[in-house]
């Protein structure tokens, strides 16, 4: 018990502004500047709307697969530039294929690392970042495109990715041709979807016919296929000569009007730095735990406010009233933070991209967010923006 009390530093007794949530809301109010100018992921998905009649853009997901290199060479020989939405975890087995796709003039694009449903993913930011690390050296002219697995997407995910500084990407890019209509799926009456064809053991010719029919119906659009499946390569070889015979032309995905407009609208085309965390004067953010947890620390102290879960743990260890302080010894705070990304008692919330406990969100928050907090505050010098605990609602308002 005395040991724990010793861990709580003396200077913890200094007066520290513990921000009441209502104070913060009052002091900071609503952000006045709309942030849409820096948001390059958009809530609505992008389709091939506005493409010229007779034009198609071929896109391939989930690869590389065993025959992606062959497909790359075939398309090049046919004068077609495709777009390959790379699944990072699949790329590990084919490091040379990424290089070849690029050399053959195709676009490499981002399809996450582990192919999760983005609206339910525990860490959507690292899903995009990890695959970005693999493909960015092959992305030329800043054409960073993203497609959500399963087309599972909403405005909240877009906001999380934008706030994480991934604004060099545009997306999510959907498709016009090659999707299964759910109501038909059970009846095995797919319109055209290669993965469904192969799971039903359809022939290459039958599957190609499905794509041909849907393509004739729509007359243009973004075509979805999956190069991770080898039979898809045979299907492409079946379809391309027929499509050419019927007068269809092929355009690279970044020339589709919706995609081109989104690319032109971006304010950021370079590498996006990980947002720098901001801590009170005299403290710096340090990594704790094993999956991205952070605390603001000085040489000997850590700066709260701490979560209720951490305070409970502190009291259980015999820390008594001192557990209410806003400054703890660094050792104690690191110990009670726990090993996860979020401090003990808090869980990660993708809608605000922060650790939350009830209505409280726990920092440290990024310098950009602190800047917005100050800009929206009636008193820019107020210490509330330096606090590591904001109300979740306030944070959501700032991040919007
Ligand atoms: Zn996919």
């Amino acid at each position: 018990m005395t040991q724990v009390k010793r861990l709580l530093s003396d200077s913890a007794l200094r007066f520290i502004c513990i921000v009441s949530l209502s104070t913060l809301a009052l002091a900071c109010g609503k952000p006045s500047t709309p942030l849409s100018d820096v948001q390059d992921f958009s809530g609505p998905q992008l389709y091939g709307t506005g493409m010229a009649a007779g034009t198609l853009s071929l896109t391939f997901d989930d690869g590389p697969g065993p025959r992606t290199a062959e497909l790359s060479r075939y398309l090049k020989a046919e004068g077609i530039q495709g777009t390959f939405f790379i699944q990072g975890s699949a790329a590990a087995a084919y490091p040379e294929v990424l290089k070849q796709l690029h050399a053959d003039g195709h676009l490499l694009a981002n399809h996450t690392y582990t192919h999760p449903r983005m609206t339910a993913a525990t860490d959507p930011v690292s899903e995009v970042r990890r695959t970005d690390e693999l493909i960015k050296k092959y992305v030329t002219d800043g054409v960073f495109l993203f497609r959500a697995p399963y087309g599972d997407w909403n405005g909240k995910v877009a906001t999380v990715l934008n706030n994480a500084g991934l604004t060099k990407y545009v997306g999510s890019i959907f498709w016009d041709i090659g999707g299964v209509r759910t109501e038909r799926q059970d009846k095995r009456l797919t319109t055209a979807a290669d993965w469904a064809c192969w799971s039903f053991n359809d022939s290459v010719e039958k599957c190609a016919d499905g794509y041909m029919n849907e393509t004739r119906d729509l007359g243009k659009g973004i075509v979805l296929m999956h190069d991770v499946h080898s039979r898809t390569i045979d299907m492409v070889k079946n379809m391309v000569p027929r499509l050419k015979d019927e007068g269809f032309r092929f355009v690279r995905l970044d020339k589709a009007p919706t995609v081109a407009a989104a690319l032109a609208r971006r304010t950021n085309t370079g590498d996006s730095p990980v947002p720098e965390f901001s801590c009170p004067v005299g403290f710096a953010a340090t990594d704790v735990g094993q999956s991205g947890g952070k605390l603001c620390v000085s040489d000997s102290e850590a700066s709260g406010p701490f979560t209720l879960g951490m305070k409970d743990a502190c009291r259980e260890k015999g820390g008594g009233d001192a557990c209410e302080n806003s400054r703890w010894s660094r050792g104690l705070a690191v110990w009670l933070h726990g090993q996860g990304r979020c401090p003990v008692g808090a869980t990660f919330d993708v809608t605000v991209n922060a650790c939350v406990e009830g209505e409280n969100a726990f920092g440290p928050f990024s310098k950009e967010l602190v800047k917005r907090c100050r800009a929206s505050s009636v008193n820019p010098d107020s210490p509330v923006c330096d606090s590591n605990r904001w109300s979740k609602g306030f944070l959501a308002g700032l991040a919007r």
Side-chain angles (χ1 to χ4, degrees):
M1 176 167 172
T2 41
Q3 197 190 352
V4 170
K5 279 197 171 152
R6 221 178 304 128
L7 280 165
L8 290 153
S9 87
D10 292 341
S11 55
L13 299 172
R14 280 181 313 194
F15 173 73
I16 300 298
C17 170
I18 298 179
V19 183
S20 96
L21 303 177
S22 55
T23 309
L24 183 61
L26 277 174
C28 299
K30 276 197 134 193
S32 51
T33 320
L35 298 163
S36 55
D37 58 330
V38 295
Q39 302 206 343
D40 295 294
F41 280 102
S42 64
Q45 309 207 53
L46 306 174
Y47 291 79
T49 315
M51 288 175 72
T55 59
L56 301 171
S57 189
L58 301 188
T59 67
F60 301 93
D61 287 14
D62 298 4
R67 291 176 65 191
T68 297
E70 178 189 339
L71 175 62
S72 177
R73 285 189 296 269
Y74 172 78
L75 292 174
K76 186 188 180 194
E78 291 292 327
I80 299 168
Q81 292 176 302
T83 301
F84 289 77
F85 285 94
I86 302 293
Q87 183 186 331
S89 61
Y94 305 98
E96 290 302 310
V97 174
L98 302 189
K99 202 195 271 181
Q100 193 201 327
L101 287 168
H102 175 66
D104 287 345
H106 308 300
L107 290 179
L108 278 81
N110 195 318
H111 194 47
T112 74
Y113 196 84
T114 66
H115 207 268
R117 291 194 177 276
M118 287 298 271
T119 63
T122 50
D123 197 345
V125 172
S126 89
E127 286 288 343
V128 179
R129 252 191 228 297
R130 289 176 77 189
T131 295
D132 180 58
E133 285 300 317
L134 294 173
I135 66 170
K136 67 183 178 187
K137 65 178 161 212
Y138 302 117
V139 173
T140 41
D141 305 326
V143 180
F144 287 96
L145 309 178
F146 175 82
R147 174 179 281 157
Y150 317 102
D152 180 47
W153 185 251
N154 62 28
K156 284 181 180 172
V157 179
T159 300
V160 167
L161 298 178
N162 286 324
N163 289 343
L166 287 162
T167 50
K168 68 181 179 182
Y169 275 94
V170 302
S172 177
I173 297 169
F174 208 73
W175 54 88
D176 306 294
I177 297 163
V180 171
R181 291 180 194 160
T182 321
E183 72 272 18
R184 294 187 178 190
Q185 203 170 341
D186 292 341
K187 298 174 195 159
R188 299 183 48 164
L189 292 168
T190 56
T191 50
D194 52 351
W195 61 269
C197 293
W198 314 143
S199 71
F200 297 142
N201 214 17
D202 287 346
S203 69
V204 165
E205 291 71 23
K206 182 180 174 193
C207 201
D209 286 347
Y211 271 87
M212 291 299 297
N213 288 338
E214 195 174 3
T215 302
R216 291 180 194 119
D217 278 354
L218 290 173
K220 60 177 183 175
I222 299 170
V223 185
L224 169 67
M225 292 178 276
H226 296 78
D227 59 310
V228 71
H229 299 297
S230 289
R231 272 190 280 180
T232 293
I233 285 76
D234 295 323
M235 186 181 78
V236 172
K237 291 180 178 180
N238 175 301
M239 287 164 58
V240 164
R242 297 163 74 188
L243 289 168
K244 285 187 171 177
D245 280 353
E246 295 186 22
F248 284 99
R249 286 163 292 117
F250 299 92
V251 295
R252 215 170 69 166
L253 183 56
D254 57 320
K255 303 294 181 260
T258 53
V259 179
L263 286 166
R265 210 169 46 229
R266 278 178 315 174
T267 52
N268 169 29
T269 55
D271 259 344
S272 312
V274 176
E276 245 186 290
F277 289 99
S278 187
C279 291
V281 175
F283 289 82
T286 190
D287 295 330
V288 292
Q290 290 171 331
S291 54
K294 292 206 179 285
L295 267 181
C296 290
V297 298
S298 66
D299 284 347
S300 59
E301 290 178 309
S303 160
F306 304 108
T307 59
L308 295 175
M310 289 174 81
K311 288 180 188 174
D312 285 347
C314 174
R315 274 192 293 272
E316 261 174 42
K317 302 291 177 196
D321 291 347
C323 296
E324 292 303 318
N325 294 335
S326 280
R327 294 278 195 273
W328 291 358
S329 84
R330 180 177 174 144
L332 179 73
V334 170
W335 183 37
L336 294 183
H337 179 284
Q339 291 300 301
R341 174 177 189 160
C342 294
V344 168
T347 53
F348 193 75
D349 184 324
V350 295
T351 62
V352 289
N353 203 21
C355 296
V356 303
E357 184 186 55
E359 288 308 304
N360 298 341
F362 285 84
F365 302 108
S366 71
K367 284 203 160 66
E368 175 61 27
L369 280 172
V370 172
K371 204 167 84 189
R372 290 182 204 171
C373 176
R374 289 197 205 291
S376 67
S377 173
V378 287
N379 173 13
D381 296 325
S382 157
V384 293
C385 296
D386 278 332
S387 168
N388 281 330
R389 188 181 67 200
W390 294 354
S391 88
K392 187 179 156 184
F394 173 73
L395 176 59
L398 274 193
R400 214 168 278 134

